[in-house]
């Protein structure tokens, strides 16, 4: 098992690799167009400002922060001594606790690539059809 992107796409193209080159190119375009369309629609249907995966991480961290006492933390630098904030670019439970104490919106502490609009924008680029085989 591998998570390598090329291996993943190769497994999707297993049967199509035996097609003529132009048919293969059209197959790949159709596949990518379908994937982009599905992911774009899924991103638009998300009901949070963050992606679903990022939102679930935040929810788990919020549960932890309910039992914390608040110590001063510099939220502007987006760092914490636990290093989760710097690693994930998502607020750790300590930062969430401090943000809640200051009535801050926690999404402002998240990196843009965890935000719903970034995901929508990523999959909104059209995939152009393959031209006529004579060109």
């Amino acid at each position: 098992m591998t998570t390598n992107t090329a291996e993943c796409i190769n497994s999707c193209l297993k049967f199509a690799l035996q097609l003529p080159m132009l048919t293969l190119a059209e197959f790949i375009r159709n596949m990518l167009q379908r994937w982009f369309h599905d992911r774009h629609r899924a991103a638009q249907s998300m009901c949070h400002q963050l992606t679903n995966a990022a939102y679930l991480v935040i929810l788990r961290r919020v549960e932890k922060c309910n039992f914390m006492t608040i110590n001063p933390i510099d939220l502007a630098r987006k760092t914490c001594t636990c290093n989760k904030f710097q690693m994930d670019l998502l607020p750790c439970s300590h930062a969430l606790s401090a943000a809640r104490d200051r009535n801050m919106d926690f999404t402002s502490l998240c990196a843009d690539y965890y935000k719903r609009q970034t995901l929508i924008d990523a999959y909104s680029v059209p995939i152009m059809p393959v031209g006529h085989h004579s060109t």
Side-chain angles (χ1 to χ4, degrees):
M1 301 297 284
T2 179
T3 56
N4 185 318
T5 305
E7 292 298 326
C8 177
I9 290 178
N10 278 340
S11 71
C12 294
L13 298 175
K14 195 171 279 189
F15 106 91
L17 290 174
Q18 297 167 25
L19 296 172
M21 186 59 73
L22 290 175
T23 309
L24 174 63
E26 184 63 16
F27 180 87
I28 292 170
R29 185 196 64 78
N30 281 328
M31 180 181 70
L32 291 175
Q33 188 175 31
R34 189 174 53 254
W35 288 358
F36 270 55
H37 176 266
D38 294 347
R39 285 164 178 77
H40 186 258
R41 188 176 359 175
Q44 287 179 317
S45 69
M46 291 178 188
C47 48
H48 311 289
Q49 288 182 344
L50 298 176
T51 63
N52 290 338
Y55 189 74
L56 291 174
V57 169
I58 294 292
L59 285 180
R60 284 193 301 269
R61 291 180 182 177
V62 164
E63 289 173 7
K64 290 180 185 176
C65 80
N66 290 331
F67 306 102
M68 296 181 176
T69 18
I70 310 300
N71 290 327
I73 183 173
D74 185 2
L75 292 175
R77 287 190 7 230
K78 297 183 181 181
T79 60
C80 184
T81 54
C82 74
N83 290 324
K84 280 188 181 178
F85 205 168
Q86 298 91 292
M87 259 183 13
D88 300 347
L89 298 179
L90 282 173
C92 60
S93 52
H94 311 110
L96 289 169
S97 185
R100 184 174 56 193
D101 187 57
R102 298 176 191 173
N103 293 322
M104 283 181 67
D105 177 18
F106 68 86
T107 58
S108 66
L109 301 173
C110 301
D112 284 344
Y113 57 79
Y114 287 115
K115 295 186 178 166
R116 175 181 173 261
Q117 191 57 50
T118 303
L119 191 61
I120 290 171
D121 293 345
Y123 289 111
S124 65
V125 177
I127 297 178
M128 304 308 288
V130 176
H132 190 266
H133 68 274
S134 65
T135 60

